[in-house]
Amino acid sequence: MRRSIMVDMDEVITEGGFLYLINEYLGTNYTKEDVEGYYMQDLVPDKDEFFKYFISKNMYDYNILLPNVKDVLEELQKCYDIYIGTSYIIPELPRESSMILKYKHEFLYDNLPFIKPENYIFITNKSLLDCDIKIDDKLDNLKNAKIKLLFDSYHNKGLSDDYLKSVGVVRVHNWLEIKDILEGIDESSSSKK
């Protein structure tokens, strides 16, 4: 029986667009390391004006795929059922967030054509998803998985490796590391048969 993997989209598969739009709007050169909390928009003093600008753009026009993600996912899908589990709700734009769903769908469709659109799951509460393996940059989103991989990101650096180990989570830094971990799991389960 094939195992299932839920993969987060933003800051795990792709990155860059949101911060690009913040920098373009403010005329700044912020990097992810300048963000102190989870939400990048906290860098912006006047969020109301920024979000008027934001909704006139498609942030995914400025996003890039993370290194090796496409090749690794394509390889993993030979052995796993892969689902993209991604939220599209921006707290400041609950009504207008529906446009982000469209942009995410198009980005995934164009950049990861080997993953069926039926496997895109647009959801905020990812604990509802029952997958064998979850890969996400937010710790809460890893609940209810047998294997929990926390993708290293600016907002989760404060979580110690000891703490992550105590809650059954492994921090990963890139897609080649993910590939090695999951291939190691496959090899150990194959040798038990």
Side-chain angles (χ1 to χ4, degrees), residues 1-6 80 130-134 144-148:
M1 184 170 147
R2 286 167 62 96
R3 286 181 283 184
S4 58
I5 302 177
M6 182 220 74
Y80 294 95
D130 184 19
C131 289
D132 299 305
I133 301 162
K134 289 186 178 180
N144 299 329
K146 293 176 188 83
I147 298 168
K148 302 169 187 172

Side-chain angles (χ1 to χ4, degrees), residues 69-71 73-75 77 82 111-116:
V69 66
K70 187 173 185 176
D71 293 338
L73 284 176
E74 195 163 16
E75 185 68 26
Q77 72 134 21
I82 297 177
N111 289 280
L112 302 173
F114 52 88
I115 297 178
K116 298 180 293 189

Side-chain angles (χ1 to χ4, degrees), residues 133-174:
I133 301 162
K134 289 186 178 180
I135 305 167
D136 207 298
D137 63 323
K138 190 173 181 185
L139 188 61
D140 285 348
N141 291 339
L142 299 174
K143 291 177 183 171
N144 299 329
K146 293 176 188 83
I147 298 168
K148 302 169 187 172
L149 303 180
L150 181 71
F151 204 91
D152 191 53
S153 190
Y154 66 93
H155 59 82
N156 65 35
K157 298 255 186 234
L159 298 171
S160 73
D161 289 340
D162 288 339
Y163 173 73
L164 293 177
K165 186 176 181 180
S166 76
V167 294
V169 173
V170 175
R171 183 186 299 274
V172 292
H173 300 89
N174 59 61

Side-chain angles (χ1 to χ4, degrees), residues 5-165:
I5 302 177
M6 182 220 74
V7 183
D8 180 34
M9 182 175 176
D10 298 300
E11 305 301 320
V12 175
I13 290 175
T14 182
E15 69 177 2
F18 202 97
L19 191 56
Y20 175 88
L21 291 177
I22 287 172
N23 281 324
E24 187 175 76
Y25 175 77
L26 294 175
T28 53
N29 292 306
Y30 286 123
T31 67
K32 290 189 290 187
E33 286 69 35
D34 295 315
V35 183
E36 293 182 8
Y38 181 75
Y39 292 107
M40 289 184 179
Q41 59 263 39
D42 291 342
L43 293 168
V44 180
D46 184 352
K47 289 184 192 161
D48 289 340
E49 287 303 310
F50 167 70
F51 280 114
K52 287 178 189 171
Y53 169 79
F54 177 85
I55 62 173
S56 72
K57 304 280 187 175
N58 173 357
M59 77 175 188
Y60 291 96
D61 286 343
Y62 310 96
N63 268 30
I64 59 164
L65 288 173
L66 289 176
N68 303 302
V69 66
K70 187 173 185 176
D71 293 338
V72 172
L73 284 176
E74 195 163 16
E75 185 68 26
L76 290 174
Q77 72 134 21
K78 295 174 185 174
C79 304
Y80 294 95
D81 292 326
I82 297 177
Y83 298 89
I84 308 300
T86 184
S87 177
Y88 65 95
I89 304 296
I90 294 179
E92 294 87 351
L93 297 173
R95 185 176 190 284
E96 295 86 353
S97 290
S98 61
M99 68 178 194
I100 296 167
L101 188 150
K102 175 186 183 298
Y103 298 150
K104 282 183 176 244
H105 183 281
E106 290 171 350
F107 185 90
L108 291 167
Y109 190 84
D110 292 342
N111 289 280
L112 302 173
F114 52 88
I115 297 178
K116 298 180 293 189
E118 300 87 68
N119 288 18
Y120 308 162
I121 302 170
F122 299 100
I123 186 168
T124 300
N125 183 358
K126 297 179 191 176
S127 68
L128 298 172
L129 299 178
D130 184 19
C131 289
D132 299 305
I133 301 162
K134 289 186 178 180
I135 305 167
D136 207 298
D137 63 323
K138 190 173 181 185
L139 188 61
D140 285 348
N141 291 339
L142 299 174
K143 291 177 183 171
N144 299 329
K146 293 176 188 83
I147 298 168
K148 302 169 187 172
L149 303 180
L150 181 71
F151 204 91
D152 191 53
S153 190
Y154 66 93
H155 59 82
N156 65 35
K157 298 255 186 234
L159 298 171
S160 73
D161 289 340
D162 288 339
Y163 173 73
L164 293 177
K165 186 176 181 180

